Amino acid sequence: MEGESKEKLSSVSNLVTVFENNRTPGAAPRVCKLEIEHHRPGCRAPPAAEPWKGPNPGETLEGPEPRTVSRRYLSSLKNKLSSGAWRKSCQPGTHPGPGTQEPEEKKIVQELLETEKAYVARLHLLDQVFFQELLTEARASKAFPEDVVRLIFSNISSIYQFHAQFFLPELQRRLDEWTATPRIGDVIQKLAPFLKMYSEYVKNFERAMELLATWTDKSAPFQEVITRIQGSEASGSLTLQHHMLEPVQRIPRYELLLKEYVQKLPAQAPDRADAQKALDVIFSAAQHSNAAIAEMERLQDLWDVYQRLGLEDDIVDPSNTLLREGPVLKISFRRSDPMERYLFLFNNTLLCCVPKVIQVGARFQVRTRIDVAGMKQVRELTDGEFPHSFLVSGKQRTLELQARSQEEMISWIQACQAAIDQIEKRNETFKAAVQGLEGDTQEQELQSGELGLRAPQWVRDKMVTMCMRCREPFNALTRRRHHCRACGYVVCAKCSDYRAELRYDGNRPNRVCFRCFTFLTGNVLPENKEDKRRGILEKKSMTGSEQSLMCSFLQLVGDKWGKSGPRGWCVIPRDDPLVLYVYAAPQDMRAHTSIPLLGYQVTAGTQADPRVFQLQQSGQLYTFKAETEELRDRWVKAMERAASGWSPRGPNDGDLSDCPTAGHSPLQSPG
């Protein structure tokens, strides 16, 4: 009983007295010994979950050893607590006699009160000792700024006043009146909303640790004040960083104690409803604390990214959120080999970067920026030559990119689309879809109206063998390939000898084809060969199954084909089902050969090569070779129907196509 009486005398005033005695070196303490933490009799003190270890009591403190708190440790605070690892279960060492055992819920309230007393003592040490003495030293010596001290301790003064003047006295009064009023739920429910002030302290915690480490090394007076206080009995041989961690851990401990309190309450206890509501409020405060930690991690991640990008002024924005980053390959419109790139997707911008060879400072150089607000579409590309490729069409640029795997490609598309959806939702730009023919017309007008407003998707050089406007074949000397910067077509120099201002490029004049020039400027071109009547071969290639009955690449065998090449893109159009057109490339505007199939005899395969089939009529013989026997059979069937005069009756009638929308790419080997 004597030991219990002495423990009851250990109040916050005693603790404050010790702290005040230790503020002045050499002052004689009025209290012999201070226990930093208070526990119930017979309970073992829980080990502190901390990233620092203080020196042994017998060792001499020569100086502080502040360390920056690891971000991994801070992150773990959000999910460690549900396991109950913060507190060891305490079993009383001695059991009171029969009839005098206290209710379990009261023991939890006693533990809450005792730990609150110790916590207020820590807050007093932080606010009234460390903070005030550092502030006094800053004013007196001018060796370090006062603002640095205030930044380190954040709103610790407000937290200390709340607990010392409101929360602790209320808990003490309720425990003193427990016989008459056995409840604490209403008190906690009333005061718990003020615990949300912890989010500011937690958010500032990592920055405070960095400032503390910096100024300890930089300023001798700053270090001397901290060393002196840390060496005092009031500090318990623990570092300032250890004491500053206490507020970060405190709210989760409230949540654990209150959960245990609610569990121990009898089902009909008058405090049960209030205690449950108080627990909900505490949980909300804990969520604020967790959100502050998450925000701190977000800013740290953002700063790391900005450092890798060289801290360019027009990139650094603390309001950004990094959604995804990773390596990709950029598919070139001119080169055959894709190029290494590294993407950073933020909530408002996509940065396409080049890794630096000499990584001194910045590790990446920004090559292309695409605003998420201007992204028209992000979709998968069906390209057999470049698997896992996808298109990003933005206002500034349109990129074709290749991911390392199908899963990675899907993840990029989903991340970009989520960013686009978020922008559209925030700007309230969703509009009702327009149905019917009128809607289709408006859709086409909108696409024409976008010329010059956003960067087009360029047609790749190797996809065409002739100008997509005049349909003359390209060659290396007199007719070279160029791209129209408005529509993205591959055109010759004659057809692109025009300049027009494009809004997506800052209204700078760009090379455009004559059709885009007319649309963008309103100027009428003189009559020329474009007005002549189209020839029989000037039929645009079909690359979709909705436009053709059958289309795929075929090997062209024999001398009959001349200089047209070893392979051709062969199409039986839906609107001309009795003619076979052979193109050099899928995007060509003009076929190099057309064969009216009516009356032809189709011969399938030989023993030497079953993939070969032939068309024969009146001395005319054309030999083809498919990639597989299955593709050969489909071509034979399609040609036999055309040779007999068959025509489709409906939009899906007789479709044997191997085109992209049927599951294959124009560049992919069919079969």
Side-chain angles (χ1 to χ4, degrees):
M1 293 299 292
E2 183 179 354
E4 292 179 3
S5 300
K6 289 182 179 179
E7 185 176 7
K8 290 180 179 179
L9 293 176
S10 180
S11 62
V12 176
S13 60
N14 298 127
L15 301 177
V16 172
T17 302
V18 175
F19 292 136
E20 294 295 342
N21 292 342
N22 283 277
R23 291 180 64 176
T24 305
R30 290 193 291 267
V31 179
C32 296
K33 189 174 182 179
L34 169 69
E35 293 291 334
I36 295 297
E37 296 284 357
H38 294 266
H39 307 283
R40 299 197 305 270
C43 291
R44 182 163 49 89
E50 59 199 31
W52 307 278
K53 291 185 179 180
N56 295 327
E59 295 178 355
T60 302
L61 288 173
E62 296 181 357
E65 295 182 1
R67 304 177 190 171
T68 304
V69 181
S70 65
R71 290 173 55 226
R72 181 183 301 175
Y73 176 77
L74 289 175
S75 302
S76 69
L77 292 177
K78 293 182 291 185
N79 47 30
K80 267 186 177 180
L81 303 168
S82 59
S83 65
W86 295 105
R87 298 169 56 246
K88 301 290 184 181
S89 59
C90 294
Q91 299 297 332
T94 58
H95 300 276
T100 61
Q101 187 172 2
E102 295 179 338
E104 291 293 328
E105 62 269 22
K106 183 178 180 181
K107 293 180 182 179
I108 298 172
V109 175
Q110 288 173 336
E111 182 179 357
L112 176 61
L113 178 62
E114 296 303 320
T115 57
E116 184 69 14
K117 290 178 181 178
Y119 178 56
V120 170
R122 289 280 177 88
L123 292 177
H124 178 89
L125 177 66
L126 286 171
D127 181 52
Q128 298 298 309
V129 184
F130 279 108
F131 180 37
Q132 294 301 329
E133 292 203 11
L134 283 171
L135 207 57
T136 301
E137 180 66 26
R139 292 168 180 166
S141 66
K142 305 296 183 182
F144 50 92
E146 295 182 36
D147 289 342
V148 170
V149 180
R150 292 190 175 91
L151 283 172
I152 290 175
F153 290 93
S154 186
N155 62 335
I156 194 66
S157 296
S158 300
I159 294 174
Y160 168 62
Q161 291 174 10
F162 166 74
H163 284 272
Q165 298 178 18
F166 297 95
F167 201 62
L168 178 60
E170 286 288 342
L171 288 177
Q172 182 68 63
R173 182 164 55 253
R174 278 305 170 92
L175 189 61
D176 293 342
E177 301 171 354
W178 187 261
T179 304
T181 313
R183 58 194 308 160
I184 59 166
D186 56 339
V187 173
I188 298 178
Q189 185 181 346
K190 179 179 68 175
L191 297 178
F194 292 97
L195 297 177
K196 292 181 180 180
M197 71 175 72
Y198 276 78
S199 61
E200 180 181 344
Y201 182 88
V202 174
K203 190 183 301 183
N204 183 67
F205 183 73
E206 187 167 355
R207 175 62 175 158
M209 294 297 101
E210 293 173 357
L211 287 173
L212 186 58
T214 298
W215 284 96
T216 300
D217 295 336
K218 191 174 182 179
S219 173
F222 186 92
Q223 183 182 26
E224 188 277 328
V225 173
I226 294 177
T227 303
R228 173 167 50 82
I229 301 174
Q230 287 180 158
S232 66
E233 185 180 4
S235 185
S237 299
L238 298 174
T239 63
L240 173 57
Q241 291 95 326
H242 172 90
H243 296 303
M244 291 183 68
L245 186 63
E246 282 288 308
V248 178
Q249 300 174 348
R250 188 58 185 168
I251 291 183
R253 292 184 178 180
Y254 285 141
E255 186 179 2
L256 286 173
L257 284 169
L258 202 54
K259 278 183 180 178
E260 189 175 350
Y261 175 75
V262 172
Q263 291 173 356
K264 297 297 183 182
L265 281 175
Q268 304 301 322
D271 196 25
R272 190 169 188 84
D274 286 335
Q276 185 59 53
K277 292 179 182 178
L279 180 59
D280 294 339
V281 179
I282 290 286
F283 176 76
S284 176
Q287 291 297 100
H288 271 256
S289 183
N290 291 342
I293 294 176
E295 174 69 6
M296 184 169 57
E297 292 173 344
R298 183 190 71 82
L299 292 174
Q300 183 62 47
D301 290 339
L302 204 58
W303 181 252
D304 292 342
V305 171
Y306 289 154
Q307 285 183 316
R308 285 187 283 162
L309 293 173
L311 298 177
E312 296 185 31
D313 292 340
D314 54 347
I315 294 179
V316 176
D317 185 351
S319 65
N320 285 347
T321 300
L322 179 65
L323 303 179
R324 182 178 174 82
E325 64 172 288
V328 295
L329 294 176
K330 178 180 177 293
I331 301 173
S332 173
F333 298 104
R334 301 196 182 281
R335 296 174 51 180
S336 58
D337 297 330
M339 299 169 288
E340 290 186 7
R341 292 291 185 266
Y342 197 92
L343 298 184
F344 292 94
L345 176 62
F346 297 93
N347 57 307
N348 58 357
T349 309
L350 176 68
L351 301 181
C352 184
C353 307
V354 179
K356 286 190 173 182
V357 178
I358 303 176
Q359 296 184 354
V360 178
R363 293 172 53 191
F364 299 97
Q365 180 181 358
V366 179
R367 283 289 182 88
T368 303
R369 307 181 195 189
I370 300 177
D371 294 336
V372 173
M375 283 188 186
K376 180 181 179 181
Q377 59 178 339
V378 181
R379 61 178 175 84
E380 180 180 359
L381 294 175
T382 53
D383 193 327
E385 186 176 359
F386 300 103
H388 323 311
S389 57
F390 60 100
L391 174 76
V392 178
S393 178
K395 183 177 181 181
Q396 294 88 352
R397 285 286 300 276
T398 294
L399 301 176
E400 292 187 15
L401 305 169
Q402 183 182 15
R404 293 175 296 185
S405 66
Q406 182 75 9
E407 294 75 16
E408 195 171 277
M409 178 202 69
I410 294 174
S411 180
W412 273 113
I413 293 176
Q414 291 176 344
C416 292
Q417 192 59 52
I420 295 172
D421 293 343
Q422 187 64 30
I423 289 287
E424 290 180 347
K425 183 178 180 180
R426 187 171 59 199
N427 295 337
E428 298 181 352
T429 57
F430 288 118
K431 295 180 180 179
V434 182
Q435 304 293 335
L437 180 62
E438 181 181 359
D440 294 338
T441 304
Q442 293 180 1
E443 175 92 19
Q444 294 173 2
E445 291 176 355
L446 177 63
Q447 292 177 356
S448 299
E450 288 180 347
L451 280 176
L453 300 180
R454 63 171 63 251
Q457 179 185 2
W458 282 17
V459 177
R460 296 181 207 160
D461 285 356
K462 61 183 179 182
M463 295 292 290
V464 295
T465 61
M466 61 186 69
C467 174
M468 299 179 73
R469 291 305 185 197
C470 70
R471 302 173 182 85
E472 294 296 328
F474 291 118
N475 59 65
L477 297 177
T478 60
R479 194 175 297 275
R480 301 177 62 185
R481 292 173 171 85
H482 301 274
H483 276 92
C484 172
R485 267 58 174 178
C487 65
Y489 275 21
V490 182
V491 291
C492 65
K494 185 177 180 180
C495 291
S496 60
D497 191 21
Y498 306 92
R499 294 270 173 176
E501 295 179 352
L502 302 180
R503 288 181 59 183
Y504 77 82
D505 195 29
N507 287 324
R508 286 190 290 268
N510 280 262
R511 177 192 288 267
V512 295
C513 66
F514 64 89
R515 290 190 182 178
C516 293
F517 175 79
T518 302
F519 180 86
L520 293 170
T521 64
N523 296 333
V524 179
L525 298 178
E527 292 187 3
N528 53 26
K529 63 179 181 179
E530 297 304 323
D531 297 324
K532 69 181 181 180
R533 188 172 182 176
R534 291 171 54 188
I536 190 172
L537 297 177
E538 295 180 5
K539 186 177 184 66
K540 184 178 179 181
S541 170
M542 307 296 178
T543 59
S545 62
E546 73 280 356
Q547 298 173 303
S548 64
L549 296 173
M550 186 70 192
C551 61
S552 76
F553 278 112
L554 292 174
Q555 298 292 326
L556 310 178
V557 183
D559 299 332
K560 182 70 176 177
W561 301 103
K563 298 180 180 179
S564 58
R567 188 173 75 156
W569 178 252
C570 301
V571 179
I572 300 179
R574 186 173 292 277
D575 60 355
D576 198 1
L578 305 183
V579 180
L580 172 68
Y581 291 88
V582 183
Y583 301 83
Q587 299 294 336
D588 278 0
M589 306 297 294
R590 180 180 179 181
H592 62 70
T593 303
S594 65
I595 305 174
L597 296 173
L598 189 63
Y600 266 84
Q601 181 181 356
V602 185
T603 305
T606 64
Q607 291 183 352
D609 193 341
R611 295 175 295 171
V612 172
F613 62 98
Q614 294 178 324
L615 286 173
Q616 186 175 6
Q617 183 189 50
S618 303
Q620 296 288 336
L621 180 64
Y622 297 95
T623 304
F624 304 87
K625 181 179 178 181
E627 292 291 329
T628 65
E629 293 184 39
E630 185 269 338
L631 181 61
R632 179 212 61 187
D633 293 340
R634 283 193 283 142
W635 269 110
V636 169
K637 182 177 181 180
M639 289 182 177
E640 286 178 343
R641 290 190 310 190
S644 64
W646 177 89
S647 296
R649 294 188 178 89
N652 297 318
D653 188 18
D655 182 17
L656 296 173
S657 179
D658 194 42
C659 294
T661 54
H664 294 277
S665 165
L667 296 180
Q668 191 173 10
S669 297

